[in-house]
Amino acid sequence: MAASETVLRLPLGSLFSSCHLPSFSLNSTPLLSFKPSSSRKRRGLRCTNTLARGDTFQSPDCVFKGKKLQSTRCRCQRNDVEEDIRSNLLPSDGLKSDLDEMPLPVNGNLSSNGSTQSAGTNSIEDEAWDLLRQSIVYYCGSPIGTIAANDPNSTSVLNYDQVFIRDFIPSGIAFLLKGEYDIVRNFILYTLQLQSWEKTMDCHSPGQGLMPASFKVKTVPLDGDDSMTEEVLDPDFGEAAIGRVAPVDSGLWWIILLRAYGKCTGDVSVQERVDVQTGIKMILKLCLADGFDMFPTLLVTDGSCMIDRRMGIHGHPLEIQALFYSALVCAREMLTPEDGSDDLIRALNNRLVALSFHIREYYWLDMKKINEIYRYQTEEYSYDAVNKFNIYPDQIPSWLVDFMPNRGGYLIGNLQPAHMDFRFFSLGNLWSIVSSLATNDQSHAILDFVEAKWAELVADMPFKICYPAMEGEEWRIITGSDPKNTPWSYHNGGSWPTLLWQLTVASIKMGRPEIAEKAVELAERRIAIDKWPEYYDTKRARFIGKQARLYQTWSIAGYLVAKLLLANPSAAKFLTSEEDSDLRNAFSCMISANPRRTRGRKKTQQPFIV
Ligand code: GLC
């Protein structure tokens, strides 16, 4: 279907009485059409009312309490809007919100004097909340996300003034944990409307279901009337991004956040909506589609996740696999059975089992495994080869020989034919713990590894995005001489405070919160003084990153989530998944069917049927 013909219909309850996304009833009459427009420039979601109900709604544009809400009018009506936003952000449990002290929302801009410290608040946490609130982005008066960075002194904004899907996750979780649910629900529902039905780049239209990397609220002249303006949500699917990288992780994070929203609020009506169910299925279909690949892991191009530049992570990077597994588990919990979904659910179950087997068996690395690889035979042509991927022992890098502690281990960064990427990637390892992609023993071993390698992985600021950095010729060839990803900077061995929240969820899940506590304490020594940088440079994370943004929202939100979870560890359950007995059974069956492996697991009572 051509994008211009695509009209995504949102059923409306009370949307335009308050200009908020409503708690829709599935049967309510569609009133509002969101049209992704066909031309590249005009593509996006526009807040245009095409049908009117009674006197309350007048098209076009956002109608706000019976009046048109355009950006120009919006400013005139700041008091109305402000009032509405405040009530929209009141904690759902009815508690008074700190928002009463909050400056006016200005789509991510700082207050007029550029100040980022709020008067009367001393603690780092209070400052972080103020900053997080100042980063909120509004669409037609409703909070729908947080801007990536709010650095008043930055000379080049690039796309840091956008709402990134992956960056919003810690913001969303912080708001959920604080009882402020509307912004998360709005984010989920509006980004769903942006989901690609037809993605184009250079006249090519790859698969449906992709979620954008980021979006921006733009105020544009109203079609046919230059004296008026309207607000448009303009998504970027990577077609404008540096390097044109594909945001594979966006849809996976979206599913994970959707499940967290339901768990935290107890409101499953959002995930049960027909359009939301369709959105989940579109993401799953895109990920589960057959291709040429032999592996159950998801095959992606370089830079398709948090590391969104060329870093030699094309193929089957661990971060994507951990998010993929997590999204499959979350989707399985949320999908409502209906006619025609059997095949999808069967494919999902099969993939979960194959994926966990593949990662646990072939990505795992510890002293024992290195020793096995060291003695590998190569060129084995047979079905039961030991060295299935034909890894040449010479690939074992010299840094690894001394680096691997006797106790502990981790999942390697990537596995391809004749290639193991031995680098340690934090997010993939931490999320493998959170999602139970790693076994219980492996999860503890990863945390043992983190503790043993604290000086390298945490040092002066948590947490290294990957270890070690690529240097010299390797850096030149693999990054393409990327001046931003020089050794021990940015994605190439830089330290990212946002990773604190994933470290916290993982360590709470494994009953070892003291690991996260130690990391948070360390971060608190300088993160606010340093103005919440995006990342730190050098081996020991001693400098603020060369080109790091300050007031980076996910550094702020990551810290807040860590604090909130450490204060209330049981809330980590909104994010974690336990391996269920079906999966455990199936995994055991695969282990026993594999002649080389015996893991001493209990014999299963019944076979797993998919
Ligand atoms: C950088 C990060 C990416 C993040 C973006 C916005 O490009 O690599 O993960 O989403 O900045 O903060």
Side-chain angles (χ1 to χ4, degrees), residues 302 307 311-319 362-365 373 389 391 395-397 399-400 404 410-425 429 466-470 474 478 492:
D302 215 339
I307 295 179
M311 266 285 290
I313 57 163
H314 51 276
H316 306 89
L318 179 66
E319 176 178 332
Y362 307 130
Y363 278 58
W364 184 249
L365 192 73
I373 299 169
F389 306 100
I391 306 297
Q395 269 177 44
I396 298 174
W399 62 263
L400 183 63
M404 183 59 85
Y410 65 91
L411 296 164
I412 58 167
N414 211 326
L415 176 67
Q416 317 252 51
H419 175 59
M420 285 176 112
D421 184 342
F422 290 100
R423 282 176 291 173
F424 172 84
F425 286 86
N429 272 283
C466 68
Y467 186 94
M470 292 179 293
E474 198 186 11
I478 293 181
N492 188 13

Side-chain angles (χ1 to χ4, degrees), residues 117-251:
Q117 304 279 343
S118 69
T121 56
N122 296 320
S123 84
I124 301 176
E125 239 175 302
D126 288 345
E127 179 187 312
W129 272 113
D130 284 347
L131 292 168
L132 183 62
R133 294 210 159 95
Q134 285 165 25
S135 75
I136 294 176
V137 171
Y138 295 84
Y139 177 58
C140 292
S142 295
I144 53 158
T146 49
I147 197 174
N150 215 346
D151 183 349
N153 300 319
S154 174
T155 44
S156 91
V157 174
L158 292 175
N159 50 357
Y160 283 85
D161 61 347
Q162 306 208 2
V163 179
F164 277 74
I165 307 300
R166 73 174 74 84
D167 293 40
F168 180 73
I169 306 304
S171 299
I173 293 163
F175 286 120
L176 285 179
L177 294 173
K178 193 82 167 164
E180 296 172 16
Y181 303 147
D182 286 355
I183 185 170
V184 183
R185 197 188 57 199
N186 292 345
F187 172 87
I188 289 168
L189 293 175
Y190 276 118
T191 47
L192 175 68
Q193 300 305 317
L194 296 176
Q195 186 178 34
S196 169
W197 289 71
E198 185 182 80
K199 180 172 97 79
T200 56
M201 181 172 154
D202 294 348
C203 306
H204 175 58
S205 308
Q208 289 184 344
L210 193 73
M211 282 286 186
S214 60
F215 64 85
K216 192 179 163 86
V217 179
K218 283 188 176 160
T219 304
V220 296
L222 188 65
D223 274 343
D225 183 354
D226 276 358
S227 65
M228 304 214 335
T229 57
E230 61 180 339
E231 285 188 343
V232 179
L233 289 188
D234 190 18
D236 177 10
F237 290 88
E239 75 271 44
I242 296 165
R244 303 295 185 261
V245 281
V248 178
D249 61 341
S250 290

Side-chain angles (χ1 to χ4, degrees), residues 148 160 164 166-167 305-306 308 490-491 496 534 552 554:
Y160 283 85
F164 277 74
R166 73 174 74 84
D167 293 40
C305 51
M306 176 183 181
D308 56 0
Y490 199 41
H491 301 137
W496 292 64
E534 181 185 13
Q552 179 80 16
W554 69 353

Side-chain angles (χ1 to χ4, degrees), residues 264-430:
C264 185
T265 61
D267 167 19
V268 288
S269 68
V270 173
Q271 69 195 44
E272 284 173 351
R273 286 168 47 134
V274 171
D275 55 349
V276 173
Q277 288 282 316
T278 305
I280 300 174
K281 285 180 198 157
M282 279 172 65
I283 296 169
L284 293 181
K285 280 184 185 156
L286 189 60
C287 294
L288 295 171
D290 287 336
F292 287 109
D293 200 19
M294 292 290 290
F295 303 155
T297 34
L298 203 57
L299 178 63
V300 298
T301 50
D302 215 339
S304 58
C305 51
M306 176 183 181
I307 295 179
D308 56 0
R309 289 163 88 92
R310 186 174 158 196
M311 266 285 290
I313 57 163
H314 51 276
H316 306 89
L318 179 66
E319 176 178 332
I320 288 290
Q321 313 316 324
L323 294 176
F324 180 34
Y325 182 85
S326 185
L328 291 180
V329 171
C330 295
R332 198 162 75 129
E333 254 178 64
M334 293 187 292
L335 278 175
T336 48
E338 53 159 26
D339 289 351
S341 61
D342 291 1
D343 285 351
L344 185 67
I345 292 175
R346 192 173 304 116
L348 186 158
N349 278 325
N350 282 337
R351 194 63 172 262
L352 272 176
V353 175
L355 181 61
S356 62
F357 177 81
H358 187 85
I359 296 283
R360 292 169 178 190
E361 287 296 298
Y362 307 130
Y363 278 58
W364 184 249
L365 192 73
D366 53 13
M367 272 304 269
K368 185 164 163 275
K369 182 71 176 288
I370 299 180
N371 212 97
E372 235 176 74
I373 299 169
Y374 185 67
R375 293 166 50 80
Y376 265 165
Q377 303 291 310
T378 57
E379 321 299 334
E380 293 174 278
Y381 180 83
S382 74
Y383 288 105
D384 50 8
V386 173
N387 180 7
K388 286 197 174 59
F389 306 100
N390 202 32
I391 306 297
Y392 300 107
D394 270 1
Q395 269 177 44
I396 298 174
S398 49
W399 62 263
L400 183 63
V401 178
D402 297 324
F403 187 63
M404 183 59 85
N406 287 329
R407 191 183 146 92
Y410 65 91
L411 296 164
I412 58 167
N414 211 326
L415 176 67
Q416 317 252 51
H419 175 59
M420 285 176 112
D421 184 342
F422 290 100
R423 282 176 291 173
F424 172 84
F425 286 86
S426 314
L427 181 45
N429 272 283
L430 295 174

Side-chain angles (χ1 to χ4, degrees), residues 14-31:
S14 58
L15 178 56
F16 283 106
S17 59
S18 62
C19 219
H20 298 151
L21 271 179
S23 42
F24 302 122
S25 109
L26 289 176
N27 307 324
S28 56
T29 323
L31 277 182

